[in-house]
């Protein structure tokens, strides 16, 4: 059987509800209460009511999952959501501005056959947490459908698959939506059976590396197992054997991995001289003059060097940035501290930062969870106590900040093939994929044929 298959999506009927821009949302796990409220007000059929139904007064437990399921059924009965007549692949483009350039990321949407991590050629790169998987399983059980996509990477050096699919969309008007960040999203169904079969064959033996949506992937596996426990073995083509996935070739020029910098509380307030002393021979260090505002200069030097060995540390005690470059001594120490990990894992900037610098050399093991930001300006605002401070839920001042290089797609592939998981927040794939473009029903008896 093919690794990927087309599917007959459940989609918004725009003749009924109007603009797709009013109906979509980012993934549930990047939506804060303020954005959730904005999306609720944007349109009565916005997908937020399914993917992140809010807690209402009088709720005693899991009522919000039941409300999400009622919205699905209501919208289907009212014609707000309609099922496609036949299984298709879907081409999906994201157009956005980055560093003064217009970027076009080309992706396609499919069903991907499930294999538990470690038992097939689908590889994770991040750890998952039980609480999030329990939440998503309750939603899947209530709605009986995939409500958001997994984001998967596959090797395709010549971009053969997406080029074939793009060609099939020539002359066809896409569905279009613009999200709250100004990213333009375009969607085309691909109905040509010859193209569908050719893509299925090209994808048959390719590995897939989960870029985003690890919890949703494991939830899909858990939902399948739950059905098997309730009903017995599922047929080969039962829709619960698959999960709705956005697939992007790892060589697509639109693929961007942004950094995730760190703001920490609960550590000592180090001076720059203390940091340099504690890092010792493991790092070659220099102080970058200019105080906190030198963050941009530090990051520019790191970006230009494109070196995982470079880490920027802000000393809050004397308002100085330290630019540190790992030496051979650092790797020797990492061999001791993380002997169970591969050389690829130990060489990551985020591994060096957390395992060696923060936990060991600075002696801050057990610190509270960092605040993660993707922009240097956000980091500076956080230190100054300005802005939203990203994911933070505390008003306590930050005691340490770090600039760290993002892992690249090659790191994701290599470390995943070692069957290792990267440290938390090693990657940030931008832009995030929209929820609300398609839903994938998981009940048997739908339109699951045409798998190529």
């Amino acid at each position: 059987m093919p690794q990927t298959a087309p599917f007959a999506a459940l989609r918004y009927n725009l003749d009924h509800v109007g603009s797709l821009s009013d109906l979509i949302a980012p993934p549930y796990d990047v939506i804060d209460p303020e954005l959730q409220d904005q999306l609720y007000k944007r349109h009565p059929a916005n997908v937020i009511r399914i993917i992140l139904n809010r807690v209402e007064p009088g709720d005693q437990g899991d009522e919000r999952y039941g409300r999400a399921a009622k919205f699905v059924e209501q919208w289907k009965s009212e014609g707000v959501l309609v099922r496609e007549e036949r299984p298709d692949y879907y081409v999906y483009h994201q157009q956005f501005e980055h560093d003064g350039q217009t970027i076009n990321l080309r992706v396609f949407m499919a069903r991907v056959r499930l294999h538990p991590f470690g038992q097939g050629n689908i590889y994770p790169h991040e750890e998952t947490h039980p609480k999030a998987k329990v939440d998503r399983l309750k939603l899947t059980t209530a709605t009986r459908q995939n409500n958001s996509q997994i984001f998967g990477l596959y090797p395709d050096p010549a971009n053969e698959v997406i080029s074939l699919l793009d060609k099939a969309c020539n002359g066809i008007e896409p569905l279009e939506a613009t999200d709250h960040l100004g990213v333009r999203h375009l969607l085309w169904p691909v109905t040509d059976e010859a193209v569908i079969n050719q893509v299925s064959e090209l994808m048959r033996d390719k590995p897939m590396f989960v870029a985003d949506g690890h919890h949703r992937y494991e939830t899909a596996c858990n939902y399948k197992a739950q059905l098997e426990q309730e009903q017995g073995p599922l047929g080969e083509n039962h829709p619960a054997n698959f999960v709705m996935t956005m697939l992007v070739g790892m060589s697509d020029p639109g693929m961007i991995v942004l950094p995730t910098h760190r703001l920490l509380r609960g550590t000592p307030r180090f001076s720059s001289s203390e940091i340099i002393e504690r890092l010792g021979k493991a790092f070659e260090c220099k102080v970058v003059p200019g105080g906190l505002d030198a963050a941009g200069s530090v990051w520019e030097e790191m970006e230009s060097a494109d070196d995982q060995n470079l880490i920027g540390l802000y000393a809050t005690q004397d308002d100085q940035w330290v630019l540190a470059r790992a030496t051979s001594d650092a790797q020797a120490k990492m061999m001791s501290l993380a002997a169970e990990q591969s050389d690829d894992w130990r060489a990551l900037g985020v591994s060096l930062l957390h395992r060696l610098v923060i936990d060991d050399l600075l002696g801050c093991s057990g610190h509270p969870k960092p605040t993660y930001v993707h922009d240097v300006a956000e980091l500076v605002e956080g230190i100054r106590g300005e802005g939203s401070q990203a994911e933070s839920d505390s008003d306590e001042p930050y005691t340490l900040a770090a600039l760290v290089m993002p892992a690249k797609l090659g790191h994701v592939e290599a470390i995943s093939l070692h069957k290792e998981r990267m440290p938390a927040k090693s990657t940030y794939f931008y832009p995030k994929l929209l929820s609300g473009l398609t839903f994938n029903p998981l009940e048997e008896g739908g339109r699951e044929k045409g798998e190529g």
Side-chain angles (χ1 to χ4, degrees):
M1 298 301 295
Q3 181 68 22
T4 63
F7 67 107
L10 186 68
R11 293 205 286 149
Y12 280 112
N13 178 3
L14 299 185
D15 291 335
H16 193 298
V17 291
S19 172
L20 188 59
S21 297
D22 293 333
L23 305 166
I24 48 86
Y28 79 99
D29 53 355
V30 299
I31 299 173
D32 61 21
E34 181 180 357
L35 179 57
Q36 182 186 37
D37 187 58
Q38 292 173 9
L39 293 168
Y40 257 80
K41 293 175 180 176
R42 185 163 295 169
H43 195 284
N46 187 282
V47 71
I48 190 67
R49 288 172 171 79
I50 299 175
I51 64 169
L52 195 62
N53 196 279
R54 64 188 174 193
V55 176
E56 301 288 359
D59 282 359
Q60 300 297 313
D62 294 340
E63 289 89 345
R64 60 197 182 98
Y65 304 109
R67 280 194 298 273
K70 287 180 180 178
F71 278 120
V72 172
E73 294 307 314
Q74 176 186 336
W75 295 347
K76 286 194 293 187
S77 67
E78 294 175 350
V80 171
L81 291 173
V82 293
R83 187 83 184 269
E84 297 281 26
E85 288 297 323
R86 48 153 295 138
D88 296 325
Y89 283 131
Y90 297 87
V91 171
Y92 174 39
H93 288 192
Q94 293 178 318
Q95 296 177 355
F96 56 99
E97 299 295 319
H98 179 71
D99 284 346
Q101 295 183 333
T102 299
I103 307 295
N104 186 44
L105 175 61
R106 303 175 302 161
V107 186
F108 81 99
M109 200 186 317
R111 292 184 300 150
V112 170
R113 185 173 291 277
L114 291 165
H115 299 282
F117 290 144
Q119 296 184 23
N121 62 348
I122 296 177
Y123 301 90
H125 81 274
E126 287 186 347
E127 296 290 349
T128 55
H129 306 286
K131 183 178 179 181
K133 288 184 284 188
V134 169
D135 164 59
R136 291 299 95 180
L137 182 58
K138 288 179 178 179
L139 179 62
T140 305
T141 301
T143 60
R144 302 185 301 281
Q145 63 183 22
N146 297 142
N147 297 295
S148 301
Q149 306 88 357
I150 311 304
F151 188 15
L153 308 170
Y154 64 93
D156 189 4
N159 292 310
E160 184 179 6
V161 172
I162 195 61
S163 297
L164 177 65
L165 288 164
D166 272 349
K167 186 176 180 180
C169 298
N170 284 342
I172 300 173
E173 193 73 20
L175 297 175
E176 183 174 340
T178 301
D179 66 21
H180 67 296
L181 298 176
V183 178
R184 188 171 174 235
H185 303 262
L186 306 171
L187 186 74
W188 296 263
V190 175
T191 60
D192 187 315
E193 280 199 37
V195 172
I196 288 172
N197 291 337
Q198 192 173 352
V199 168
S200 297
E201 186 60 32
L202 287 170
M203 294 295 296
R204 183 183 294 273
D205 297 318
K206 290 184 183 295
M208 186 185 88
F209 305 94
V210 178
D212 216 350
H214 290 76
H215 293 100
R216 278 162 274 167
Y217 185 88
E218 291 195 21
T219 292
C221 292
N222 293 340
Y223 181 72
K224 174 188 173 184
Q226 179 177 285
L227 287 186
E228 289 176 329
Q229 187 174 15
E230 295 170 354
Q231 305 174 12
L234 304 181
E236 184 76 10
N237 292 327
H238 191 289
N241 286 315
F242 299 83
V243 62
M244 183 171 65
T245 304
M246 289 285 195
L247 289 149
V248 59
M250 299 175 75
S251 300
D252 190 275
M255 269 301 302
I256 290 178
V257 186
L258 297 182
T260 304
H261 307 306
R262 272 69 169 159
L263 288 158
L264 285 85
R265 295 186 174 93
T267 71
R269 298 178 65 87
F270 297 104
S271 68
S272 55
S273 59
E274 287 175 317
I275 289 175
I276 292 170
E277 180 181 357
R278 286 173 177 258
L279 267 52
K281 293 182 179 180
F283 288 84
E284 296 173 352
C285 298
K286 70 176 183 179
V287 174
V288 180
L292 179 58
D293 289 332
S297 298
V298 174
W299 180 240
E300 283 179 13
E301 186 167 343
M302 292 174 65
E303 268 197 311
S304 178
D306 192 19
D307 186 351
Q308 291 287 314
N309 289 310
L310 281 173
I311 296 170
L313 297 167
Y314 177 67
T316 56
Q317 184 62 38
D318 63 349
D319 184 30
Q320 297 280 11
W321 277 98
V322 175
L323 183 58
R325 183 187 298 273
T327 66
S328 57
D329 280 15
Q331 285 304 324
K333 286 181 177 292
M334 284 292 284
M335 283 286 290
S336 173
L337 292 169
E340 74 284 3
Q341 305 288 20
S342 67
D343 289 342
D344 292 312
W345 190 96
R346 288 191 292 264
L348 278 179
V350 286
S351 301
L352 288 165
L353 172 65
H354 285 283
R355 186 67 68 91
L356 178 57
V357 174
I358 295 175
D359 290 354
D360 185 67
L361 299 178
L362 295 183
C364 298
S365 178
H367 61 79
K369 178 185 174 183
T371 294
Y372 301 107
V373 297
H374 309 292
D375 186 80
V376 174
E378 278 186 279
L379 183 141
V380 171
E381 287 178 357
I383 291 289
R384 287 180 173 149
E386 303 169 352
S388 64
Q389 298 191 47
E391 301 171 17
S392 172
D393 57 2
S394 171
D395 293 328
E396 291 295 316
Y398 293 109
T399 51
L400 182 67
L403 299 171
V404 63
M405 294 296 296
K408 294 188 173 182
L409 296 182
H411 298 128
V412 173
E413 181 177 10
I415 291 171
S416 298
L417 290 174
H418 293 316
K419 298 189 176 180
E420 296 175 295
R421 306 287 183 103
M422 289 182 171
K425 306 294 183 179
S426 296
T427 56
Y428 182 78
F429 296 95
Y430 181 82
K432 293 295 184 180
L433 304 175
L434 283 185
S435 295
L437 295 175
T438 59
F439 304 91
N440 179 38
L442 297 175
E443 293 181 285
E444 200 165 28
R447 305 176 179 102
E448 286 86 37
K449 296 180 181 180
E451 294 183 358

